[in-house]
Amino acid sequence: MREFPPELLFEILLRLPPEDLLRCLCVSKAWNATIHDKTFIKSHLQRSIQTNSFGSLFVSATFPCNKCSFKFSDIYDDGTIERAMKIEQPPLQDAESGTPFPSALVSSNGIICIRTGLYEDDFVLWNPSIRKFKKIPSPTFEQSPSPDIHVYLGYGFGYDSTNGDYKLLGIANFNEAVHQCQIYSLKSNSWRKIRNMPCDEFHMIVSRILFSNGALSWLAQNMLDRKMHVVTFELATEKYHWFPTPVDENVQLEVLGDSQCIFRRLRTMDAWIMKEHGSWTLLYSIELPPMSRVNRWCLG
């Protein structure tokens, strides 16, 4: 192995899935050093994204007694999916310790961000492929401006490819015009305050914050004219952008591929996808049978 060209070894290891790389760590010190090298880790991630290799399906389910189960299933090149297998979980507090059940925020490049409480915000970053996890310190939001105002907390997790960093955005929404924003960086392993959104007349709907194409997105409603908007936050530049939605009632934000989508369900199921510069294109409009129609979706 000593005469094995380092460049060729790098290329061979680059094509292996994470579970095989774990086994290769024990081959030699040279192999171990190559796999742990930051350049190799970044190259392996980029190649996996570009070639759509080593795909997997993450499944989470919550059961009675606050028990949560996480499962993974590999997705093969031909699109077939094997049976989802239960995987070893990181050590999380459960109902017996008085902590609400854990919930997965989102998975980004195989890294899963888990919120381990509903009222006390503790987080864990978990990589089930290599069986490693990292506990994240809790954010320190300022106190509510009034004890009578309820605090709504929203979190979004994603990967900053420009800086090679995983980030977690936290938003404390006190009322229609008062909020605080903080961001966690895996590189620095710390939270810091960032510029708040310019939203004096907007109500932030931060119960669902989605990640796509390097940005986090959520819905906001203008309280003056009741118009709905999609707010995006670029993880690399930390800039906010606002885009009016194609419709303003009964809307739900989702992600399709790398694009934001707006769904509306009334007499029809309608879906729009966001193109460049905030323009929207109608994907489909399907007539619904009378029994499946609903009057309104919950926005908060």
Side-chain angles (χ1 to χ4, degrees):
M1 291 294 181
R2 293 180 180 177
E3 298 179 357
F4 212 68
E7 297 80 7
L8 183 57
L9 173 63
F10 188 96
E11 291 298 325
I12 293 175
L13 294 177
L14 206 62
R15 287 160 172 76
L16 296 181
E19 55 269 24
D20 289 340
L21 290 177
L22 281 178
R23 301 186 183 96
C24 292
L25 291 172
C26 303
V27 173
S28 67
K29 291 183 178 180
W31 285 41
N32 190 298
T34 298
I35 295 172
H36 279 104
D37 184 77
K38 292 183 179 180
T39 301
F40 175 81
I41 295 174
K42 186 175 182 179
S43 299
H44 189 273
L45 174 60
Q46 290 177 340
R47 185 181 186 280
S48 299
I49 296 174
Q50 292 172 356
T51 61
N52 200 25
S53 304
F54 320 130
S56 58
L57 176 66
F58 173 68
V59 181
S60 65
T62 303
F63 302 96
C65 301
N66 289 348
K67 297 298 182 181
C68 193
S69 174
F70 298 109
K71 294 185 178 182
F72 248 61
S73 178
D74 292 328
I75 302 176
Y76 300 108
D77 293 339
D78 60 0
T80 58
I81 302 175
E82 69 175 11
R83 185 169 63 92
M85 303 296 293
K86 186 174 181 179
I87 51 180
E88 181 181 353
Q89 299 176 201
L92 301 171
Q93 292 177 304
D94 56 24
E96 295 178 357
S97 62
T99 301
F101 57 82
S103 60
L105 283 181
V106 71
S107 173
S108 181
N109 299 332
I111 307 297
I112 302 170
C113 182
I114 301 176
R115 185 178 181 181
T116 62
L118 294 179
Y119 307 105
E120 295 181 1
D121 296 311
D122 297 318
F123 298 90
V124 169
L125 294 185
W126 180 33
N127 189 336
S129 298
I130 61 176
R131 303 176 182 88
K132 288 188 177 182
F133 72 95
K134 179 180 178 60
K135 294 184 178 180
I136 295 179
S138 301
T140 54
F141 291 112
E142 297 176 3
Q143 295 295 321
S144 171
S146 170
D148 298 328
I149 297 178
H150 186 70
V151 181
Y152 296 92
L153 297 174
Y155 294 93
F157 175 71
Y159 180 65
D160 174 6
S161 59
T162 300
N163 300 297
D165 194 6
Y166 290 90
K167 295 180 178 180
L168 176 63
L169 175 69
I171 301 176
N173 198 20
F174 296 108
N175 55 30
E176 297 174 1
V178 179
H179 64 280
Q180 301 170 16
C181 298
Q182 293 191 26
I183 194 165
Y184 168 84
S185 163
L186 180 59
K187 278 188 173 181
S188 65
N189 190 34
S190 62
W191 290 86
R192 60 181 173 84
K193 294 181 180 179
I194 59 174
R195 182 174 63 91
N196 289 339
M197 294 164 286
C199 60
D200 291 342
E201 71 277 16
F202 280 88
H203 170 57
M204 299 293 113
I205 305 171
V206 295
S207 55
R208 298 185 72 244
I209 301 179
L210 308 177
F211 174 74
S212 67
N213 200 26
L216 296 169
S217 303
W218 59 94
L219 289 173
Q221 186 177 42
N222 189 314
M223 302 307 294
L224 300 179
D225 58 15
R226 314 301 293 181
K227 298 292 186 181
M228 297 295 297
H229 291 70
V230 173
V231 183
T232 64
F233 175 79
E234 296 180 5
L235 291 178
T237 63
E238 298 185 359
K239 292 182 178 180
Y240 299 99
H241 303 280
W242 299 72
F243 304 101
T245 57
V247 288
D248 297 308
E249 295 183 353
N250 303 343
V251 298
Q252 181 167 319
L253 179 65
E254 298 290 348
V255 170
L256 179 62
D258 289 332
S259 301
Q260 289 89 5
C261 287
I262 288 294
F263 289 86
R264 180 183 65 176
R265 181 172 178 171
L266 291 172
R267 289 185 173 84
T268 60
M269 171 65 80
D270 305 320
W272 292 264
I273 187 170
M274 183 186 290
K275 299 297 185 179
E276 294 182 358
H277 309 298
S279 62
W280 297 92
T281 298
L282 182 65
L283 287 177
Y284 60 78
S285 181
I286 303 174
E287 184 74 22
L288 295 175
M291 292 300 296
S292 67
R293 298 173 184 175
V294 294
N295 293 325
R296 186 169 181 82
W297 278 356
C298 180
L299 297 177

